[in-house]
Amino acid sequence: MKNNLSDNWYEDFFQGLNCELWEKAVSVEWTKQEVDFLISELNMKSGQNLLDIPCGFGRHSIELAKRGFYVTGIDISQTFINVLNEKIKSENFNIKAIHADILLIQLNQKFSGAICLGNSFGYFNFNKMKVFVEKVSSYLETGSRFIINSGMLAESILPNFSKNESFTVENIKMNITNTYCADDSYMISNILYTKEGKTEEHSFKHYVFTLGEVKRLLQLFGFKTIATYSTLSKTEYTLGDQQIYIVAEKG
């Protein structure tokens, strides 16, 4: 079990059973519901350019492309990008999939909206988070919206903190041991996957920010937070809610 983990853990985390489980974990119906919500909040029109950062294996990118948007998806996982590119080729989706570190890439394009979903917001320490938000802001047109989804804000994690968790997704079992570092406000999760007698161990590190910290970070780079929801039906986010959807607009 790892109680200390380097800040670049994400560079090689997304491979093997990690990728297989996350692709199976979310239903097609849930993705459609999320995209319905995104479209209602992004204030975009079909045919406009949208940034999905990071995009994972593209579940949101694909559904948004089906709805008529031109999507650019960026992810550091070669496995995820390969899966997405296969789907793009087979279905001829209007998606540009880019394998890159989102902190290092420079895009020469403006977008009418951006999304960061699935707990990705918080993979980095505060200084790197500033780089990330600044980059997203620089890619967006004035008046564009940036939607963030996370279950890892302090107001969600700390009231419900669990040291041990277990999940089963189809034929993959996932046992998780969580450790919280109060000094630097991050959580390390050690994961043991089991599938058909085969096991894999992975660990990830997630910096835990308060909602106030996130709002101030967004404000530093020209974003005004206009809504915080705990559900896709737009219930207002409160202490202890498991998920948040933050809607921010670039001024």
Side-chain angles (χ1 to χ4, degrees):
M1 184 186 300
K2 296 181 180 179
N3 292 318
N4 193 16
L5 197 62
S6 69
D7 275 0
N8 65 343
W9 61 271
Y10 53 84
E11 292 179 359
D12 57 9
F13 177 79
F14 295 99
Q15 56 183 313
L17 289 179
N18 267 326
C19 292
E20 185 176 341
L21 180 132
W22 294 121
E23 191 168 359
K24 292 178 176 180
V26 184
S27 70
V28 172
E29 184 56 37
W30 178 255
T31 297
K32 289 180 179 179
Q33 291 176 21
E34 277 196 307
V35 170
D36 287 342
F37 166 84
L38 293 173
I39 291 172
S40 74
E41 290 292 322
L42 281 167
N43 197 26
M44 290 178 63
K45 296 178 181 178
S46 179
Q48 289 185 305
N49 293 301
L50 185 141
L51 179 63
D52 186 355
I53 182 169
C55 64
F57 60 88
R59 66 185 182 94
H60 297 106
S61 292
I62 290 170
E63 186 61 29
L64 285 159
K66 289 179 179 179
R67 310 283 184 100
F69 296 95
Y70 291 86
V71 184
T72 295
I74 303 170
D75 204 280
I76 200 168
S77 168
Q78 186 68 67
T79 300
F80 279 152
I81 292 298
N82 288 345
V83 169
L84 180 52
N85 272 322
E86 288 176 7
K87 294 177 181 177
I88 292 169
K89 290 176 183 177
S90 64
E91 300 292 336
N92 198 29
F93 292 125
N94 286 316
I95 302 171
K96 181 190 295 183
I98 301 173
H99 175 230
D101 186 331
I102 58 180
L103 296 179
L104 300 177
I105 191 172
Q106 185 60 48
L107 301 175
N108 298 312
Q109 182 181 354
K110 288 289 186 180
F111 297 87
S112 299
I115 59 173
C116 176
L117 277 73
N119 293 337
S120 304
F121 197 90
Y123 282 175
F124 316 125
N125 62 33
F126 187 74
N127 287 333
K128 289 183 176 180
M129 286 300 297
K130 288 197 292 184
V131 173
F132 173 59
V133 175
E134 183 176 21
K135 278 185 173 289
V136 173
S137 179
S138 71
Y139 301 146
L140 289 180
E141 301 163 346
T142 300
S144 298
R145 292 183 177 180
F146 180 29
I147 297 181
I148 300 159
N149 162 244
S150 179
M152 301 293 286
L153 290 193
E155 290 85 353
S156 293
I157 285 290
L158 298 183
N160 306 302
F161 187 77
S162 176
K163 292 184 178 180
N164 297 288
E165 300 173 286
S166 181
F167 306 95
T168 300
V169 178
E170 294 185 14
N171 60 342
I172 303 175
K173 186 175 181 180
M174 181 181 186
N175 290 312
I176 308 173
T177 303
N178 297 313
T179 303
Y180 189 78
C181 177
D183 287 348
D184 292 309
S185 299
Y186 64 77
M187 185 173 80
I188 290 179
S189 296
N190 295 291
I191 308 170
L192 175 66
Y193 292 109
T194 304
K195 178 189 176 183
E196 298 170 355
K198 175 187 175 183
T199 61
E200 283 185 16
E201 293 185 37
H202 297 270
S203 298
F204 72 85
K205 181 179 187 177
H206 202 291
Y207 282 89
V208 178
F209 302 105
T210 66
L211 176 55
E213 286 175 317
V214 174
K215 291 169 73 174
R216 288 188 287 273
L217 173 60
L218 291 167
Q219 189 175 26
L220 279 177
F221 300 103
F223 289 108
K224 179 182 179 180
T225 300
I226 59 176
T228 56
Y229 304 119
S230 63
T231 67
L232 299 180
S233 57
K234 304 184 182 181
T235 307
E236 184 179 354
Y237 178 79
T238 59
L239 179 67
D241 288 336
Q242 292 185 345
Q243 290 281 322
I244 190 169
Y245 291 87
I246 301 171
V247 182
E249 187 170 279
K250 182 180 175 183

